[in-house]
């Protein structure tokens, strides 16, 4: 076998492996930044849910207070 064929094959294998490693590293770093962004969205959503729950409870308590006043007025 000719040495140029062997060296070409080895070079090709090394190039493919290196490009795959680079691609996987890039995807992982991009995924980590996306996960950080999703964590931020989750915090915002949880905050909004808590705010909504507080508003809903206050509306519900006002409704029950008015309901009790109406029943006692009869």
């Amino acid at each position: 076998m000719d040495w140029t064929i062997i060296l070409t094959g080895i070079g090709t294998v090394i190039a493919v492996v290196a490009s795959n490693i680079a691609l996987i590293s890039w995807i992982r770093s991009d995924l980590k930044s996306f996960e950080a962004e999703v964590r931020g969205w989750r915090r915002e959503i949880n905050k909004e849910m808590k705010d909504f729950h507080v508003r809903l409870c206050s509306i519900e308590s006002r409704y029950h207070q008015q309901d009790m006043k109406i029943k006692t007025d009869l």
Side-chain angles (χ1 to χ4, degrees), residues 7 9 14 23 27 37 43 45-46 51 60 65 69 73:
L7 291 176
I14 290 172
L23 181 64
I27 289 172
E37 191 173 344
R43 278 188 226 111
I45 289 170
N46 285 335
D51 290 347
E60 185 180 22
Q65 287 173 353
K69 287 179 186 175
D73 289 343

Side-chain angles (χ1 to χ4, degrees), residues 1 7 10 14 16 18 24 33 36-38 41 44 48 50 55-56 58-61 65 70 72 74:
M1 239 194 193
L7 291 176
I10 291 172
I14 290 172
V16 169
I24 290 169
S33 67
E37 191 173 344
V38 168
W41 294 341
E44 290 176 16
E48 286 294 322
K50 288 176 185 176
R55 282 188 245 135
L56 186 62
S58 68
I59 291 170
E60 185 180 22
S61 68
Q65 287 173 353
I70 293 170
T72 56
L74 292 176

Side-chain angles (χ1 to χ4, degrees), residues 62-74:
R62 278 188 265 148
Y63 170 77
H64 286 299
Q65 287 173 353
Q66 289 176 353
D67 192 37
M68 295 301 276
K69 287 179 186 175
I70 293 170
K71 286 182 180 179
T72 56
D73 289 343
L74 292 176

Side-chain angles (χ1 to χ4, degrees), residues 21-36:
I21 289 172
L23 181 64
I24 290 169
S25 298
W26 176 72
I27 289 172
R28 287 189 65 183
S29 68
D30 196 40
L31 184 62
K32 286 181 182 180
S33 67
F34 181 70
E35 286 174 350

